Amino acid sequence: MTIDKEQRLRDKLLPEIEAFKAERSTLQLATQDQHGVPNASYAPFALADDGFYILVSELARHGTNLKASKLLSVMLLEDEAEAKSVFARKRLTFDATAESVARGSDSFSKGVAALSARFGEMIDNLAELNDFNLYKLTPHQGLYVKGFGQAFSLSGAELLDVDWKRDGHHGQPNAGVALTEVVG
């Protein structure tokens, strides 16, 4: 792909991805415990200029897991009711590192303020509880899927480098089911 095409793709996709993130209130978390046992969960999040912030209880399984391993996978997912097809829901997934944010630090104030702005005073109350910990999630590489044949890998310091994944699906679809029927 030429630099001009890459720039046009980036100029079109990045605002769309930012809008998609802003429309979501929660993200899905894939964490693992100290023995590598996986767990799927979710958490409300706020986005700041330096990453995603979540406030989770260490009594919850994902809270315990984040203390055991700072590596996780995150997904923001289009609601089923909004999707043209449940087989091709828009989604943004990325590998991330979770950093525990120390109480009393500037980052803690920043993260709690960002969460409070989105979710109200309940965040301020939860942040006062000792079992709730604030984590900053820093993405490393990602994938934005708009639908069939529309997957874009994201990389770089802010996930701003976009590459259209064109290797496609393999095999033959069932002759009795047209792809347009699946897509809706």
Side-chain angles (χ1 to χ4, degrees):
M1 191 176 332
T2 68
I3 292 174
D4 189 41
K5 284 183 181 180
E6 288 176 13
Q7 186 61 45
R8 284 197 315 265
L9 178 63
R10 192 174 11 261
D11 290 348
K12 181 179 180 194
L13 270 182
L14 293 178
E16 180 179 325
I17 292 169
E18 289 306 311
F20 182 73
K21 289 191 286 191
E23 292 167 0
R24 307 292 126 215
S25 296
T26 61
L27 45 77
Q28 314 301 307
L29 302 169
T31 60
Q32 61 182 348
D33 69 12
Q34 63 193 14
H35 305 292
V37 177
N39 175 245
S41 60
Y42 82 98
F45 77 95
L47 191 56
D49 60 353
D50 60 345
F52 294 77
Y53 284 91
I54 60 172
L55 185 66
V56 296
S57 172
E58 62 189 41
L59 301 177
R61 189 168 166 197
H62 57 260
T64 302
N65 289 354
L66 288 173
K67 283 188 158 201
S69 174
K70 63 182 185 173
L71 301 178
L72 71 156
S73 182
V74 176
M75 179 168 62
L76 284 77
L77 184 61
E78 178 181 37
D79 189 282
E80 289 179 13
E82 298 170 4
K84 292 178 185 176
S85 167
V86 294
F87 293 98
R89 290 163 69 186
K90 285 183 189 176
R91 57 202 175 272
L92 173 63
T93 58
F94 54 87
D95 298 333
T97 302
E99 175 188 340
S100 180
V101 180
R103 291 180 183 276
S105 68
D106 289 341
S107 291
F108 189 87
S109 298
K110 177 183 188 175
V112 170
L115 286 161
S116 285
R118 281 195 98 183
F119 303 109
E121 70 179 77
M122 181 178 191
I123 293 297
D124 297 322
N125 294 332
L126 293 175
E128 293 294 320
L129 300 175
N130 289 332
D131 65 299
F132 273 81
N133 297 299
L134 183 70
Y135 289 92
K136 180 177 83 169
L137 309 181
T138 304
H140 300 293
Q141 61 183 3
L143 183 69
Y144 178 60
V145 178
K146 291 178 56 165
F148 289 112
Q150 298 180 72
F152 304 89
S153 61
L154 305 171
S155 59
E158 306 260 335
L159 297 185
L160 298 179
D161 296 329
V162 178
D163 183 37
W164 189 359
K165 298 184 68 62
R166 296 187 195 176
D167 37 357
H169 298 284
H170 303 284
Q172 295 290 330
N174 182 335
V177 179
L179 190 55
T180 55
E181 291 175 24
V182 174
V183 174

